[in-house]
Amino acid sequence: MNVNDPIGDMLTRIRNAQMRFKSTVRTPASKLRGRVLDVLQAEGYIRGYEGVTVDSHAEYEISLKYFDGMPAIKEIKRVSKPGRRVYSPVETLPSVRQGLGVAIVSTSKGVMSDAQARADKVGGEVLCTVF
């Protein structure tokens, strides 16, 4: 299966699995997906993830997180898409729900949260927002 937007595909898989209250979901593995999952885990939106091999294809098995029967991720949106890339300097990085959520940014220093990008004084491509 050829996917034009691998990050968008992964976010949709997470969103769909949480709507069905699944405990885990699988997505094809890549370095960028792994970095985004690292940020989601560090910010406490997922329990974790691990690499597995299915039919000689590398995949990530993501353990989803729930609190009081509700998903930890209430809203997850793709911002920068293949047809319209969204870049932001450090001064105008988006604040998600007055700082309650997180924006995941791909910078020259790696993929990180908006708070970490502000601390490192670096801007970049805004991949997605999570609340």
Side-chain angles (χ1 to χ4, degrees):
M1 182 166 97
N2 191 5
V3 177
N4 289 334
D5 185 14
I7 298 299
D9 175 63
M10 180 181 72
L11 299 179
T12 299
R13 287 174 189 240
I14 291 171
R15 191 180 312 113
N16 289 342
Q18 284 194 323
M19 286 190 329
R20 302 303 307 156
F21 296 99
K22 301 284 186 182
S23 60
T24 62
V25 63
R26 287 188 179 166
T27 184
S30 72
K31 288 182 184 179
L32 182 58
R33 289 180 192 204
R35 302 296 181 263
V36 171
L37 290 172
D38 287 337
V39 174
L40 288 174
Q41 184 176 2
E43 295 292 327
Y45 288 106
I46 61 172
R47 289 193 188 280
Y49 71 98
E50 62 180 25
V52 295
T53 304
V54 177
D55 297 332
S56 72
H57 295 303
E59 291 187 351
Y60 290 132
E61 186 166 329
I62 305 164
S63 299
L64 302 175
K65 190 174 185 178
Y66 296 91
F67 181 74
D68 286 340
M70 296 304 294
I73 299 173
K74 299 198 180 0
E75 177 182 277
I76 188 164
K77 287 186 188 175
R78 182 79 158 111
V79 176
S80 185
K81 300 175 183 173
R84 182 177 178 265
R85 298 293 183 187
V86 177
Y87 297 94
S88 178
V90 67
E91 298 84 19
T92 61
L93 280 173
S95 177
V96 181
R97 304 273 178 118
Q98 286 88 31
L100 294 176
V102 64
I104 300 177
V105 184
S106 177
T107 69
S108 58
K109 294 184 179 181
V111 177
M112 59 184 72
S113 68
D114 58 338
Q116 183 65 42
R118 282 188 195 90
D120 290 352
K121 295 186 172 128
V122 63
E125 181 181 358
V126 183
L127 298 176
C128 63
T129 59
V130 185
F131 173 71

